[in-house]
Amino acid sequence: MTSDYTNNKNFGQDICNIGAGCIVTNHTKNKILLIERKDGEGWCVPGGNLLLGESPEITAIRETKEETNTEVKNIKLIGIYSVKDKKGIPKLSIIYEAKYIRGKLKINHESKNIKWVSVSSRRKNLHLAFGLEKAITDWWNKK
């Protein structure tokens, strides 16, 4: 019996479907950095797929820089989550907490908006992509 995702014409072309991202916090940890995706999936933390030979930690740091123009430090694992990507294909998402250290916020070609969001108000105003609410809740509970 095969899964429906094996019918995807790109199935097997990627080495793996593993992503890593950062819940970037400000100095008081009352705000997190979120980006709004251009593809309509909603708001998410900076992140992306691992490159061949790249560790998840390095992926999370690199993607944060690429997607937000910011640098982070003190990266700590929050959790590993089984999610589906925008095509419905299962994916592992490794989420870290990281502290913002510098950089002027700037979107890239994948995003249409970027902002610091109050942790307490995120549920009221934003549609979070890729099951991100679970990771943010786990992070909040570990604080």
Side-chain angles (χ1 to χ4, degrees):
M1 179 197 242
T2 61
S3 299
D4 60 350
Y5 62 84
T6 60
N7 295 324
N8 180 314
K9 66 180 180 175
N10 296 321
F11 180 74
Q13 292 181 1
D14 293 329
I15 292 170
C16 61
N17 202 14
I18 300 173
C22 283
I23 296 174
V24 179
T25 62
N26 64 352
H27 67 285
T28 60
K29 289 191 172 186
N30 66 345
K31 291 188 177 182
I32 58 175
L33 188 59
L34 294 178
I35 57 174
E36 185 178 16
R37 299 172 52 90
K38 275 188 180 174
D39 61 12
E41 290 290 323
W43 290 83
C44 62
V45 298
N49 287 335
L50 275 68
L51 299 177
L52 183 61
E54 188 175 56
S55 73
E57 295 90 346
I58 296 300
T59 299
I61 292 167
R62 175 183 54 78
E63 288 284 345
T64 298
K65 177 71 172 168
E66 289 175 7
E67 294 182 356
T68 67
N69 192 47
T70 60
E71 294 179 35
V72 296
K73 68 177 183 178
N74 297 343
I75 190 166
K76 298 176 189 171
L77 181 66
I78 298 300
I80 301 171
Y81 303 89
S82 178
V83 298
K84 291 191 177 181
D85 69 12
K86 62 186 173 186
K87 296 175 185 170
I89 298 171
K91 176 178 188 168
L92 287 180
S93 184
I94 304 166
I95 302 295
Y96 297 90
E97 173 187 8
K99 293 181 184 176
Y100 166 84
I101 54 173
R102 72 175 137 273
K104 183 178 179 182
L105 297 183
K106 181 180 173 185
I107 61 172
N108 73 0
H109 66 281
E110 297 174 300
S111 307
K112 64 181 183 179
N113 198 356
I114 183 172
K115 65 181 174 179
W116 289 102
V117 176
S118 164
V119 176
S120 61
S121 69
R122 75 189 185 283
R123 290 183 176 137
K124 300 175 195 167
N125 306 319
L126 303 173
H127 166 69
L128 297 175
F130 310 121
L132 186 58
E133 185 61 40
K134 171 83 170 108
I136 293 174
T137 300
D138 289 349
W139 163 75
W140 184 258
N141 290 336
K142 287 182 180 183
K143 283 183 20 157

